[in-house]
Amino acid sequence: MKFFEDKRREVMVHIEKFMLEKMNEYLKPIDTIWQPSDFLPDASKDTFFTEIKELQESAQGLSYDLVAVLIGDTITEEALPSYESWLAMVQNVSDDEEGGWMRWNRHWTAEENRHGDLLNKYLYLSGRVNMRMMEISTQYLIADGFDIGTGHDPYRNFIYTSFQELATNISHRRVASQAKKDGDTLLSKMCGVIASDEARHAKAYKYFIEKVFEVDPNGAMLAFEDMMRKKIVMPAHFLREVGLKIGQTFGHFTDAAQRLGIYTAIDYVDILKELIEDWHIADMPDLNETGEKARDYIMNLPDRLLRVADRMKNPMLEYKFSWINS
Ligand SMILES: [Fe+2]
Ligand SMILES: [Fe+2]
C-alpha cells in the first residue's frame, strides 16, 4: 500500500510539469473567454423585454424530452461544488494548496462554473421550467453526494474525468443540434460553446493519463480496467425529484436522452474506443502479467458492450417530470 502511494505521488509530481506547461492551452484566459452574459438578454437595456419574449417564443418549440435532458444536464453542471471538493480529496493532488494540481483544480472549476450559470439563467427565462423543483433537485444532488468509484486515487479520478468530459461534450453538442432543429438558435449557440469547453477539458485529462501510461503502464492499466469493470457512472445517475429515491429520476432522464439520441449506450462504447486508441492500449509496452490481463479485458470490452447495446430497445415510457411546466 505504501509503495503504491509513493509510486503515485512520484508519478503525479512528474506529470505536474507537463500539466503546467499546457495549462494555458487547456484552460483559457479568464479575461477573454466567453461569459454567460455574452449570450443572455441584458437587463439594463431597453430591448430586454423584447429579447426575453423572443427567447420564450423559441423555447416553446423545444420538445418535452429535450427540455428534460437540458434540465438534467443543468443540474449536473450546477452540482459543481461536489466535483471540486472531490478532486480536492484526491491524493497527491491536494497535498499543497498552492501547488500545481490545486491550481489546476481551481481554474478548471472556475471555467466549469460558467456552464451551470448560463443554462440555469436560460431555463429560468424560458418560462418552461418549474424552477423550484429543479432547484430542489440541484440541492439534493449536492447534499446527497455521489460515489463514482474513484476513491482518492489520482489515476482513477483522471480516467473518470477523461470519460466524463467526453460524454458531456457529446451530450451538449447533440442538445445544440437538436435545439437548432427545434428552432432555438440561441440555446443551440449556448450549448455549442459549452460543448467546446468540454472538448478542451477532455483533451487535458486524456493527456494527463497518457503521460501516466508512459511512466506507470501497469498501474494505469489496472486503474482503467477497474473503472471499466465498475462502469463509468455519470453524476446524473444520482438525480432525484421530490418524493423519489436516488436513481428513479435518472431512469426517466436517460430514457429521454436515449430517445432523442443525445447520449446512448453506443456513445458509451464510442468513448471507450476513443480512449483505447488515444492511450495506445493495444500495443502498450512494458506490461507485466496482470497488466496484460487488464489490457485484454479492456480490448474485448467494446464488442461485448455493443452486443448488449444491440439488444436494448428504444424506451417508450412517457414520464411527467416535476421540473417541467409544459
Ligand atoms: Fe461542464
Ligand atoms: Fe468540462
Side-chain angles (χ1 to χ4, degrees):
M1 198 64 190
K2 178 86 175 69
F3 167 78
F4 171 85
E5 279 172 22
D6 283 351
K7 174 86 181 167
R8 274 175 162 54
R9 180 181 310 272
E10 197 187 301
V11 171
M12 291 310 285
V13 170
H14 169 75
I15 310 297
E16 189 176 356
K17 291 193 300 278
F18 298 101
M19 179 272 286
L20 289 172
E21 261 170 39
K22 296 262 194 175
M23 194 152 156
N24 290 338
E25 184 186 319
Y26 292 140
L27 297 174
K28 295 287 172 199
I30 297 173
D31 295 350
T32 47
I33 199 170
W34 66 267
Q35 294 297 337
S37 57
D38 299 339
F39 298 90
L40 292 159
D42 181 346
S44 69
K45 298 263 166 64
D46 294 342
T47 49
F48 184 56
F49 295 105
T50 359
E51 283 180 47
I52 290 183
K53 219 169 159 269
E54 283 166 14
L55 185 152
Q56 295 200 337
E57 275 165 16
S58 33
Q60 276 309 319
L62 302 174
S63 71
Y64 190 89
D65 277 345
L66 190 64
V67 177
V69 170
L70 189 58
I71 294 173
D73 286 352
T74 305
I75 296 172
T76 48
E77 291 285 354
E78 294 256 72
L80 189 64
S82 312
Y83 315 124
E84 191 190 15
S85 54
W86 148 67
L87 265 185
M89 283 189 320
V90 175
Q91 266 155 7
N92 318 125
V93 165
S94 52
D95 298 352
D96 173 8
E97 183 62 27
E98 283 315 308
W101 284 116
M102 280 307 279
R103 261 177 54 211
W104 167 269
N105 187 20
R106 288 197 303 271
H107 279 251
W108 170 77
T109 315
E111 213 174 79
E112 284 287 345
N113 184 51
R114 294 137 58 252
H115 300 170
D117 272 3
L118 176 57
L119 294 176
N120 183 306
K121 283 177 183 143
Y122 167 85
L123 287 174
Y124 166 63
L125 292 174
S126 77
R128 294 205 51 190
V129 178
N130 182 328
M131 289 304 288
R132 185 173 166 76
M133 287 302 170
M134 177 179 135
E135 285 156 354
I136 288 176
S137 289
T138 305
Q139 192 168 349
Y140 273 146
L141 186 62
I142 300 173
D144 291 342
F146 36 85
D147 179 10
I148 44 172
T150 56
H152 295 174
D153 174 22
Y155 295 5
R156 284 172 174 73
N157 273 277
F158 287 174
I159 289 166
Y160 181 88
T161 43
S162 300
F163 201 105
Q164 166 72 8
E165 295 282 3
L166 287 171
T168 50
N169 167 260
I170 293 176
S171 130
H172 288 306
R173 193 156 33 90
R174 302 249 176 86
V175 172
S177 55
Q178 195 61 46
K180 198 170 178 187
K181 275 190 211 145
D182 290 351
D184 193 332
T185 44
L186 179 66
L187 177 63
S188 175
K189 255 194 243 164
M190 291 176 182
C191 293
V193 287
I194 296 175
S196 73
D197 279 2
E198 312 293 25
R200 195 158 32 74
H201 299 159
K203 259 193 193 163
Y205 288 113
K206 278 196 300 183
Y207 176 68
F208 303 155
I209 290 294
E210 190 186 324
K211 288 282 161 201
V212 173
F213 268 113
E214 279 174 19
V215 286
D216 186 8
N218 286 296
M221 196 65 81
L222 293 182
F224 191 17
E225 180 208 13
D226 180 53
M227 288 310 295
M228 295 319 300
R229 278 191 193 273
K230 285 177 185 154
K231 296 196 184 75
I232 302 287
V233 180
M234 297 294 146
H237 274 83
F238 303 90
L239 280 175
R240 66 181 167 116
E241 294 161 273
V242 174
L244 296 186
K245 292 200 185 74
I246 293 178
Q248 288 180 321
T249 298
F250 174 72
H252 299 297
F253 165 75
T254 195
D255 281 358
Q258 187 95 17
R259 273 196 293 268
L260 284 175
I262 292 213
Y263 186 77
T264 67
I266 305 288
D267 293 317
Y268 185 95
V269 181
D270 285 344
I271 293 173
L272 173 59
K273 283 187 187 162
E274 181 174 337
L275 295 177
I276 288 175
E277 181 139 344
D278 288 357
W279 290 335
H280 315 290
I281 299 297
D283 33 41
M284 182 67 59
D286 304 322
L287 290 177
N288 59 24
E289 212 185 308
T290 16
E292 275 178 7
K293 273 196 189 132
R295 183 203 44 211
D296 294 346
Y297 172 81
I298 296 165
M299 291 304 300
N300 290 327
L301 194 55
D303 282 347
R304 273 181 44 201
L305 291 176
L306 278 178
R307 285 197 292 275
V308 179
D310 270 352
R311 288 197 294 270
M312 272 164 67
K313 296 205 174 65
N314 220 10
M316 297 310 290
L317 184 69
E318 300 264 332
Y319 173 72
K320 179 98 189 62
F321 288 91
S322 64
W323 303 325
I324 303 177
N325 289 334
S326 59

